Amino acid sequence: MGGKYPPALHPEELSTVGQITGWVILRCVFATVTLVPAPFVWADLTYTLSLSGGDVFYERPYRLAAGSVGSVAALSSALGLEADELEEALWLEERVRYKERRVQKADGTQRIVFSPCRLLRRVQGQINSRLFKAGGMLSWPSFVFGSLPNQEVDGNIDFRDYIACARRHAGARSILKVDIKDFFDNVTQPLVEEIFSEVFKYPPPVCEALSNICCYEGHLVQGALTSSYLAALAFHNVEGRVVARLGYKRLTYTRYVDDITVSSANASANFDFAFSIIKEMVESKDLPLNMAKTMVLRASTAPLVVHGLRISSSQPRLQIKELSRIRAAVRRVENLAKEPNYRTAFGYRKDFNRCMGRVNKLARVGHSQHKSLVRRLRAIEPLPSPKDIERIRDMISRLQRDYGTKRNTYWYRARFYTVHERLNILQRTFRGEAKNFRHQMKSLLPS
């Protein structure tokens, strides 16, 4: 690729990169940033780009924000925490950090999920909001999906959910599925420290403090608020090269947490090379593969499904059985709405919201029945009861009590927006009361 290249940019200048017309970032090496002429964007690249000097550039996560956090003392300020809050969290005993619970998996086995204590949850929540989810902080690779923040690209939303992941493989004729065994348990604390060191460029004391907060008994755990983001970064310095090498073979790679998918438009594609370099990548981080869930599937023998969606056409589609379950869920909510006074019950709200969430999946895959099912649900929206007035009054009273000392905390914000959600329901019947409550809420905004 020819063309004159602009001068290399230093990390402090990253915030202005978007204003350089006609150039896009290809790689950040933290000392310099190399740019190439637009309209090349990562989402469209299926092969590595070799520049005139022979250098090959691979996509990888990198920090966008300028500056760094030089000490643990500075870390508390960067996270929006009091210094004693962070210190207390760092010195929490292992036995009080989490509560364990077991949940049933689809295959009948049980999964252990950990629920962090209140203090740890607050600190992890601040790490998420300030480091992982904050706009302008981190650039995520285009091939990684999961619980990641959606990003705006050229005025469009770049979704990172399972539907967007499956869409990358739409029209494929053969796929390789690779599963990482016990992913969170095998992402160790040293690897987490490496992520904070190499991706965020923090000094060792800060990396150790952050890994202390994010890990339990030396590894990530399912249930910690930060685990999914750190899992997404586990292969930060090796995955891009794998994606590029597969691109040479016209293979498409994605990873959704621990599920790796490689697809080809060729129904008889040979995936031996793909599996070998993925295995090498995974083992380079001391992670094991789940061979029982690793397989090659071809359209000639069975419908191809990625993350529960059919990918045989140009757009991912819900499986017929899932569509039937969604329609049945709508009928169930309609029947519940017919029961006397049940639309005012709190349990009905949970059933309604869960059903609406499932129906909205149809919009993401462009299904024609989405609008009609939404109309049916809108006709039976939850209704408030007089008890809601008292509950909201009590909640506002507690916000008024805590406004002076807690308005900058996660829990205050959560309670504040919970009140607004309940007011949306209250105004369907009690408009005057809802209006008065909203007026009171204007003086209670979280900071």
Side-chain angles (χ1 to χ4, degrees), residues 189 192-193 196 206-216:
Q189 194 158 340
V192 172
E193 289 184 22
F196 285 117
V206 174
C207 298
E208 291 170 10
L210 287 167
S211 66
N212 177 311
I213 295 295
C214 298
C215 295
Y216 178 61

Side-chain angles (χ1 to χ4, degrees), residues 20-288:
I20 300 178
T21 304
W23 301 86
V24 293
I25 302 173
L26 270 193
R27 185 196 188 200
C28 173
V29 293
F30 300 106
T32 60
V33 177
T34 302
L35 308 178
V36 297
F40 291 96
V41 293
W42 279 116
D44 297 333
L45 293 179
T46 56
Y47 52 90
T48 40
L49 295 169
S50 299
L51 304 185
S52 57
D55 296 325
V56 179
F57 296 85
Y58 308 115
E59 185 183 4
R60 60 182 296 176
Y62 59 88
R63 195 187 74 201
L64 291 167
S68 184
V69 177
S71 66
V72 176
L75 178 62
S76 59
S77 176
L79 295 178
L81 299 168
E82 298 294 334
D84 57 349
E85 282 184 292
L86 180 58
E87 184 176 1
E88 183 181 352
L90 289 170
W91 286 96
L92 281 174
E93 295 183 31
E94 294 269 287
R95 62 183 179 83
V96 301
R97 290 191 170 209
Y98 293 90
K99 289 184 179 179
E100 294 184 22
R101 61 185 178 91
R102 296 180 181 273
V103 297
Q104 192 86 359
K105 295 169 64 175
D107 60 4
T109 60
Q110 290 190 326
R111 175 188 288 117
I112 299 177
V113 178
F114 295 83
S115 178
C117 69
R118 188 183 183 94
L119 176 60
L120 202 59
R121 178 178 292 271
R122 166 163 164 70
V123 178
Q124 290 177 352
Q126 290 299 101
I127 292 173
N128 284 354
S129 63
R130 298 297 180 95
L131 302 187
F132 297 131
K133 296 195 293 187
M137 171 57 75
L138 194 65
S139 176
W140 295 90
S142 62
F143 47 78
V144 177
F145 297 82
S147 301
L148 304 182
N150 297 329
Q151 296 180 316
E152 186 173 331
V153 178
D154 297 329
N156 298 313
I157 301 298
D158 179 21
F159 290 99
R160 293 306 182 97
D161 60 7
Y162 73 98
I163 296 175
C165 186
R167 184 170 282 118
R168 292 291 181 88
H169 303 284
R173 304 299 295 165
S174 57
I175 57 175
L176 165 68
K177 290 187 175 183
V178 180
D179 184 76
I180 304 171
K181 186 175 183 179
D182 300 327
F183 192 25
F184 287 0
D185 289 350
N186 285 294
V187 176
T188 62
Q189 194 158 340
L191 178 51
V192 172
E193 289 184 22
E194 175 189 294
I195 291 169
F196 285 117
S197 174
E198 297 189 9
V199 177
F200 289 90
K201 290 301 175 181
Y202 292 153
V206 174
C207 298
E208 291 170 10
L210 287 167
S211 66
N212 177 311
I213 295 295
C214 298
C215 295
Y216 178 61
E217 296 184 344
H219 57 81
L220 297 184
V221 293
Q222 190 153 4
L225 276 61
T226 49
S227 289
S228 60
Y229 298 101
L230 290 165
L233 294 169
F235 305 110
H236 64 98
N237 56 354
V238 292
E239 198 166 22
R241 184 170 184 270
V242 168
V243 175
R245 295 175 71 190
L246 293 176
Y248 276 125
K249 305 289 186 180
R250 296 296 186 266
L251 300 175
T252 300
Y253 172 105
T254 63
R255 177 166 61 88
Y256 186 87
V257 190
D258 58 349
D259 293 326
I260 295 172
T261 304
V262 180
S263 67
S264 172
N266 183 352
S268 59
N270 187 317
F271 290 102
D272 289 348
F273 170 75
F275 177 74
S276 67
I277 63 173
I278 290 172
K279 182 174 184 286
E280 179 183 3
M281 175 191 77
V282 172
E283 291 180 346
S284 74
K285 299 299 181 181
D286 295 328
L287 298 171

